[in-house]
Amino acid sequence: MASIAIHLVVVVTMLVSAVASESNMLQDICVADLSNAVKVNGCTCKDTTQVTPEDFYFQGLATAAAAANTSTGAIVTGATVEKLPGLNTLGLSVSRIDYAPNGLNPPHVHPRASEIIYVLDGQLYVGFVTTAGKLVAKYINKGEVFVFPKGLLHFQKNVARSAPASVIAAFDSQLPGTQSLVSSLFGALPEDILGKSFQFKPKQVKKIKSRYQPKK
């Protein structure tokens, strides 16, 4: 009996491991059912009889967004699974980033994806910071690309003072996530934590925190 029990445990363990390690798609498509609130590391699949070409189509990146109307002079238009349901389970997404003159896409991280950008127009100063604190940065121009490794703090800045700039960004995740450094810190953390971390006086912390409302 003991031998049978051991073999059973081994077989079950192998089956669980096989299921957990399955990385290939098990169907042709799995269009996200955005009406279903249940999420299990992704979206549930829409009934294939209800799939349409519109599930794989998005025109939101065709034109530049009004970056000048933002506080930092940059605006991101994302084509993730939330706007393009056909991306579900495919492990990729794309965005367009538009910059007003001197516009900045502030330091942020994508916790679930690496990113590669292609410059449509303009010249930008871009870079990322390694976990060792080293800045890896470069000026890039129209037609050139730059890569930001997964999870590392990075930024892009339009260096032109009179001309806009635009890039297309591709990600190896259907929903890469974005965590802005400044808004996350000053919008979420308590004042005493921020004061001690940055060696700011309480009045300084309050002044900065007043610009960033906490997320609910």
Side-chain angles (χ1 to χ4, degrees), residues 113-135:
S114 295
E115 174 184 3
I116 182 169
I117 61 171
Y118 171 83
V119 183
L120 294 173
D121 287 296
Q123 182 186 51
L124 297 105
Y125 179 63
V126 304
F128 62 86
V129 180
T130 69
T131 55
K134 177 180 174 61
L135 173 64

Side-chain angles (χ1 to χ4, degrees), residues 29-151:
I29 57 176
C30 177
V31 174
D33 182 0
L34 300 179
S35 66
N36 191 336
V38 177
K39 302 287 189 299
V40 184
N41 199 31
C43 302
T44 55
C45 303
K46 180 190 287 189
D47 186 334
T48 54
T49 63
Q50 303 300 314
V51 171
T52 71
E54 301 305 310
D55 291 321
F56 300 88
Y57 172 79
F58 180 68
Q59 60 180 1
L61 308 186
T63 57
N69 296 334
T70 66
S71 60
T72 62
I75 188 167
V76 180
T77 305
T80 66
V81 68
E82 295 175 330
K83 294 182 179 178
L84 191 55
L87 289 175
N88 195 37
T89 74
L90 298 184
L92 55 89
S93 59
V94 65
S95 293
R96 174 178 179 140
I97 311 172
D98 294 297
Y99 313 82
N102 206 39
L104 170 71
N105 189 11
H108 61 281
V109 299
H110 300 296
R112 298 185 289 272
S114 295
E115 174 184 3
I116 182 169
I117 61 171
Y118 171 83
V119 183
L120 294 173
D121 287 296
Q123 182 186 51
L124 297 105
Y125 179 63
V126 304
F128 62 86
V129 180
T130 69
T131 55
K134 177 180 174 61
L135 173 64
V136 180
K138 184 176 178 62
Y139 289 94
I140 58 175
N141 303 284
K142 181 177 181 179
E144 298 177 343
V145 301
F146 194 86
V147 175
F148 305 104
K150 178 180 178 180

